[in-house]
Amino acid sequence: APTSLMSLGIGIALKDAFQMFFAGVALSTIVRIGDWIEVAEGKQGEVIDINWARTVIRTWDGDILFIPNSELQKGMFRSFSYKDRNHRCQLHISASYKDPPQKVKKVLLECTHNVPGTLELPHPEAFLSSYADSSISYTLSFWVDDFSQIKKISSEVSTRVWYAFKRKGIEIPFPIRTVHMLRKSPVEGESAPDSQSLLADIDLFKTLSDEEQQYLSTRLQKQTYLKGEIVVRQGKPGSSFYMVIKGKLEVLKHTPEGKNFFVHELGVGDFFGEMSLLTGEPRSATVRAIIDSELLRLDKDDLKEILTRDPALSESLAEVIVARRAKLSGLQEKAKSEVLIKEHKDDLSMKIRNFFNLR
């Protein structure tokens, strides 16, 4: 009898061992080291070891979980890496009722552009999810191909949403039932730039009267860009002019082969976008923030009132632009330079008049 019981015990043990072995073999075809999976109780982790008896994962918090293969075989688990590693991320954002949904959705989609780790295909999508008590709820959906970076990438996109909303004047509202009082105080050691002085230092606006400069200075909009964000993109239409008041940006040119090459760096006091402001021409280069940067933006509508009152000002502006271009191109022969400036000035002046519908 003892021998029979011993034989029975050995048989059961062998049977269990074979079951565990074959469970491990079966799992190895769908779970591999480096994969990310989710097991019971929502535990997510990276597979760091597999053998015939158990699978080992490391969670987000660095904890090590030992999971019997038989448990994985019996229960349901989620794989973020099987065959297709693409994973959809969703961010839930609220915006004010005063902001048009089409505007909000467009801005949300722009926040996924140029973020390392996000995929262009499948395309990002923005949806209006629901109408809440004090806000409209939106869902921003985008795709990544590395689940291990999902938290970092989602954080980057979320951060860009705040900056983009700030630039576009989109409000992330407080709950209606919350009473809040804000008192704006100057930051120690920081003073606001004198907008009119900044304009007066730029050749393009030196021809304007003090009154005109003062008017434009009240129309300047402060824009904050996060490191890596693109301010303008080569080939895209635009009608805005920018001045740098804080930070650094890089100017990039795209080649027909799809590569970027560095042109030069922009710092405090530099400006760009004058041709788009005056003629609506597509952007001639891409400008991207190297570090967190602050800009002042002037739009076509801000300049239109001044030009409408004084259409002849278009000639002065054209002369400044053409002279600046001639200087940059290094024209040496005075006579030749004067002829080219005259021809280009007349042509540019006509473009400005047409763009602003001036008589």
Side-chain angles (χ1 to χ4, degrees):
T3 303
S4 298
L5 289 174
M6 184 181 297
S7 299
L8 180 61
I10 293 173
I12 293 174
L14 286 173
K15 180 181 178 183
D16 290 343
F18 276 117
Q19 286 178 339
M20 293 174 69
F21 173 77
F22 287 115
V25 171
L27 277 173
S28 67
T29 63
I30 57 175
V31 178
R32 293 177 173 82
I33 293 176
D35 286 358
W36 278 77
I37 64 174
E38 180 179 288
V39 295
E41 299 179 357
K43 292 287 187 180
Q44 297 175 349
E46 180 185 10
V47 177
I48 59 174
D49 188 29
I50 305 174
N51 63 26
W52 64 273
R54 46 84 185 128
T55 298
V56 185
I57 69 172
R58 180 188 288 114
T59 68
W60 290 107
D61 297 326
D63 300 327
I64 304 299
L65 298 183
F66 297 87
I67 309 163
N69 290 337
S70 58
E71 293 297 319
L72 289 178
Q73 285 285 75
K74 289 189 300 184
M76 183 173 65
F77 67 92
R78 177 183 298 178
S79 173
F80 301 103
S81 309
Y82 181 65
K83 291 189 177 180
D84 186 352
R85 290 181 174 268
N86 291 357
H87 181 79
R88 185 173 69 170
C89 307
Q90 290 188 325
L91 298 179
H92 303 286
I93 302 110
S94 296
S96 169
Y97 271 93
K98 70 180 179 64
D99 299 306
Q102 286 297 89
K103 175 184 177 181
V104 174
K105 290 190 289 184
K106 180 181 178 182
V107 172
L108 286 174
L109 289 175
E110 291 172 353
C111 294
T112 64
H113 295 167
N114 198 45
V115 177
T118 59
L119 300 177
E120 293 185 6
L121 294 173
H123 294 296
E125 296 178 294
F127 304 97
L128 191 159
S129 306
S130 64
Y131 293 97
D133 290 340
S134 57
S135 62
I136 300 177
S137 300
Y138 297 87
T139 300
L140 176 60
S141 170
F142 57 94
W143 292 78
V144 301
D145 61 1
D146 185 354
F147 188 79
S148 67
Q149 299 297 309
I150 188 173
K151 293 188 176 184
K152 179 180 179 181
I153 296 170
S154 295
S155 174
E156 179 69 15
V157 175
S158 298
T159 301
R160 295 193 177 196
V161 169
W162 187 92
Y163 280 88
F165 275 21
K166 191 77 171 177
R167 289 194 299 272
K168 300 295 184 180
I170 298 174
E171 179 187 350
I172 301 177
F174 292 88
I176 288 176
R177 57 183 172 275
T178 299
V179 177
H180 55 95
M181 298 179 64
L182 302 176
R183 179 178 297 173
K184 189 173 181 180
S185 57
V187 178
E188 185 177 353
E190 182 178 307
S191 57
D194 183 346
S195 302
Q196 187 170 352
S197 297
L198 291 173
L199 286 173
D201 288 338
I202 296 175
D203 289 342
L204 182 64
F205 303 109
K206 282 182 178 179
T207 57
L208 303 181
S209 66
D210 290 344
E211 180 184 355
E212 291 168 337
Q213 289 178 1
Q214 175 60 33
Y215 169 77
L216 286 185
S217 69
T218 63
R219 306 287 292 179
L220 290 169
Q221 303 174 53
K222 185 177 178 181
Q223 306 274 275
T224 304
Y225 284 86
L226 184 65
K227 175 184 175 181
E229 280 196 289
I230 289 178
V231 182
V232 298
R233 194 181 295 272
Q234 182 177 332
K236 295 293 183 180
S239 57
S240 301
F241 169 87
Y242 296 88
M243 292 185 291
V244 184
I245 59 173
K246 184 179 179 181
K248 293 180 181 179
L249 303 100
E250 58 183 350
V251 179
L252 304 171
K253 283 278 193 178
H254 307 314
T255 66
E257 295 77 24
K259 296 181 179 180
N260 292 333
F261 67 89
F262 175 82
V263 179
H264 62 92
E265 185 177 292
L266 299 172
V268 176
D270 290 329
F271 58 90
F272 59 94
E274 62 270 25
M275 287 302 294
S276 293
L277 172 70
L278 295 175
T279 67
E281 288 186 8
R283 302 295 184 181
S284 60
T286 293
V287 179
R288 180 169 62 192
I290 300 174
I291 60 176
D292 291 2
S293 302
E294 293 180 1
L295 313 175
L296 292 178
R297 188 182 79 187
L298 194 67
D299 292 327
K300 171 189 175 183
D301 290 341
D302 303 326
L303 189 61
K304 185 172 183 178
E305 184 171 337
I306 292 176
L307 286 173
T308 301
R309 290 201 304 256
D310 185 8
L313 187 60
S314 62
E315 296 183 10
S316 300
L317 295 174
E319 186 173 358
V320 171
I321 293 292
V322 172
R324 182 167 177 259
R325 283 188 165 185
K327 182 178 179 181
L328 291 174
S329 65
L331 291 174
Q332 300 294 328
E333 303 174 26
K334 183 177 179 182
K336 182 179 179 181
S337 177
E338 289 177 351
V339 171
L340 287 175
I341 287 176
K342 175 70 169 60
E343 292 177 354
H344 291 169
K345 186 195 78 172
D346 292 343
D347 180 56
L348 182 55
S349 177
M350 183 60 66
K351 287 182 178 179
I352 295 172
R353 286 175 174 270
N354 291 337
F355 185 54
F356 285 89
N357 294 321
L358 304 176
R359 294 180 179 178

